[in-house]
Amino acid sequence: MTNQKRTVQVAGAGFAGLTAATALAQRGWDVTVHEKAAELRALGAGIVLWNNSLRVLEALGLLDELESRSMVPPFYETRIHNETVSREDFGGLPWRSMTRKDLHDVLVEGALSAGVKVRVDSEVVSANPDGSITLADGTEMTADLVVGADGVRSKVRDSIGFDQERTTSRDGITRLIVPRNKDLLGPGDWDNVIDFWNFEPRVLRILYVPCNEDELYIALMSPADDPEGSAVPINLDVWVENFPHLEPILIPAAKIHGRYDRYQTNVLSNWTNGKVALIGDAAHAMCPALAQGAGTAMSNAYTVAVAATAANLESLSDALVEWEKSERGITDRCQSRSAYFAETRSMSKGNQFTEEMLETAIYDPTSSKG
Ligand code: FAD
Ligand code: 5PR
């Protein structure tokens, strides 16, 4: 075989897998991504990106495209019982909101133009630290590097058997994209992200995130033990009774089936074993309070690509261990802070985005290593 290129098999075409694949292809690797779904499609609704993932998109050459499909809300406003308790603008720190579909489309376009080979309907059922994967149809493939970016229920991870601690939160959320209906909402700062918390007569929260002129992301949170609050499609009477001023966006929301998910936190003993590196939700699924699930996924995807490229193939496993050592602390701290906010619901107090809480958002993963 005359192919001189280093090879990598990536499991999962989510934000983590596509980012790693593009960064590796741009560094000369022969990259194959396996996606188990029949088509490339983003799951979920909307998303907020911060400096860390925006710097990664810039390094991949995708920032202009992303900017044209996203927006910068003026403030992150927090309200309790519809009374504003804070309006945070993060002192000029870059942040953006968009639909998950738009982010995914930009990453797919970037991967394809970098020469990444994407195979759909290609489920990875197991991986081996020696650098091989097995697909659902029994095919075995080998590579210099295997990246497990196959999400919270990762088969790459579980087939190898990493020690892990899993926690499921008491609250969960239904995430939907609805029309903005600004005219119907009446006068107000409807370009802000608005985090509406109600504690009386029951705990219910609506996170309102405009994504562009036409589309609005809403995340409706309820304790899992409230059958009405967590019902899908959403129980229109219950939500309108608690958030009457949001009726124009709740009516279309009640027409979508949606899905209620509790938050899952996974803490692994290690992110790597031999030639296998885990990134994204496969390695560190976290509560969404700091909106860093995708941000940490993309940061770690980028830095593992840089670290693997800088390594000699003979010492790749050691380089992966070093990569984990240098990048893990910031992700672990973000994961535990997000879990604390989910547990205590204390984002409702407002002004929670202190410099410490923004550590991950501020971080620039593209400048940490050459
Ligand atoms: P994923 O996005 O889960 O991507 C994994 C990919 O791998 C998928 O395409 C999957 O089909 C594929 N796959 C899975 N198993 C295999 C396999 N065995 N072989 C091959 N391919 C496989 N965060 C927000 O900030 N805003 C949101 O609106 C939001 N919505 C969410 C909705 C859902 C349903 C979930 C589960 C999470 C959501 N999150 C949200 C959290 C955040 O999006 C995640 O942290 C982030 O997407 C992680 O990216 P990832 O690439 O690691 O994993
Ligand atoms: N931020 C974002 C988000 O989607 C959620 C939260 C914060 C962007 C919910 O999914 O605090 O729960 C949150």
Side-chain angles (χ1 to χ4, degrees):
M1 297 279 162
T2 54
N3 187 355
Q4 300 294 319
K5 283 189 162 188
R6 293 177 173 199
T7 55
V8 54
Q9 302 288 343
V10 179
F15 301 140
L18 291 168
T19 300
T22 305
L24 286 161
Q26 290 176 341
R27 285 164 179 72
W29 292 67
D30 181 336
V31 186
T32 307
V33 176
H34 301 270
E35 168 53 51
K36 82 169 175 189
E39 55 185 331
L40 292 178
R41 218 158 51 89
L43 282 178
I47 193 155
V48 172
L49 295 185
W50 306 81
N51 186 61
N52 55 340
S53 41
L54 293 170
R55 294 286 72 76
V56 169
L57 286 158
E58 181 175 55
L60 299 179
L62 301 174
L63 188 59
D64 289 347
E65 197 50 52
L66 193 279
E67 283 184 353
S68 73
R69 304 188 205 182
S70 59
M71 65 176 268
V72 183
F75 291 99
Y76 189 112
E77 181 176 345
T78 303
R79 299 192 198 179
I80 299 184
H81 298 127
N82 211 24
E83 291 290 324
T84 299
V85 293
S86 67
R87 287 153 65 92
E88 296 169 86
D89 67 1
F90 317 118
L93 180 73
W95 68 301
R96 286 191 162 265
S97 56
M98 72 220 74
T99 65
R100 287 169 65 92
K101 180 185 185 311
D102 280 331
L103 173 60
H104 194 262
D105 286 352
V106 168
L107 287 170
V108 168
E109 288 160 24
L112 296 178
S113 62
V116 170
K117 288 167 273 184
V118 184
R119 296 174 49 153
V120 292
D121 250 329
S122 186
E123 183 184 6
V124 177
V125 292
S126 66
N128 192 300
D130 69 4
S132 59
I133 57 167
T134 305
L135 304 178
D137 67 5
T139 313
E140 191 172 319
M141 302 178 94
T142 57
D144 297 313
L145 170 66
V146 171
V147 175
D150 49 345
V152 68
R153 281 182 286 277
S154 170
K155 290 197 171 166
V156 169
R157 177 192 67 210
D158 294 342
S159 65
I160 293 176
F162 290 81
D163 283 342
Q164 58 180 305
E165 240 175 74
R166 299 186 190 201
T167 327
T168 305
S169 64
R170 61 177 165 159
D171 294 332
I173 211 151
T174 303
R175 300 154 161 134
L176 304 167
I177 297 284
V178 294
R180 292 211 35 197
N181 284 352
K182 264 205 244 186
D183 300 345
L184 301 177
L185 284 168
D189 299 325
W190 299 114
D191 284 348
N192 287 347
V193 167
I194 311 177
D195 199 357
F196 293 93
W197 288 84
N198 279 14
F199 290 95
E200 300 294 337
R202 63 211 292 170
V203 175
L204 287 178
R205 167 193 179 201
I206 298 182
L207 179 68
Y208 166 107
V209 184
C211 294
N212 51 52
E213 265 309 296
D214 307 317
E215 293 169 294
L216 172 71
Y217 163 44
I218 49 172
L220 300 101
M221 189 203 91
S222 142
D225 65 8
D226 175 348
E228 288 178 337
S230 58
V232 285
I234 64 162
N235 182 323
L236 187 60
D237 293 341
V238 167
W239 286 94
V240 170
E241 196 180 311
N242 286 273
F243 299 93
H245 47 289
L246 296 180
E247 186 171 12
I249 55 174
L250 291 169
I251 290 171
K255 296 192 177 123
I256 308 173
H257 192 277
R259 211 178 82 179
Y260 174 86
D261 291 299
R262 289 169 79 178
Y263 318 136
Q264 171 98 35
T265 301
N266 283 24
V267 181
L268 303 199
S269 55
N270 303 83
W271 290 352
T272 79
N273 186 338
K275 297 180 182 177
V276 178
L278 302 175
I279 54 172
D281 281 2
H284 48 71
M286 66 179 71
C287 293
L290 290 171
Q292 278 294 350
T296 51
M298 293 168 69
S299 297
N300 292 325
Y302 184 83
T303 54
V304 81
V306 172
T309 305
N312 295 323
L313 278 189
E314 306 71 58
S315 59
L316 185 80
S317 322
D318 296 338
L320 295 179
V321 170
E322 288 307 309
W323 158 74
E324 175 178 344
K325 268 192 207 150
S326 82
E327 300 301 324
R328 182 157 182 161
I330 195 164
T331 298
D332 283 352
R333 290 190 291 279
C334 183
Q335 194 183 29
S336 71
R337 288 167 185 156
S338 286
Y340 167 82
F341 279 127
E343 185 54 37
T344 59
R345 301 172 177 148
S346 51
M347 286 295 263
S348 59
K349 291 186 203 155
N351 287 320
Q352 294 301 300
F353 289 98
T354 58
E355 190 152 334
E356 182 192 343
M357 293 305 166
L358 287 172
E359 181 195 20
T360 320
I362 292 166
Y363 178 54
D364 179 358
T366 67
S367 74
S368 66
K369 292 267 159 37

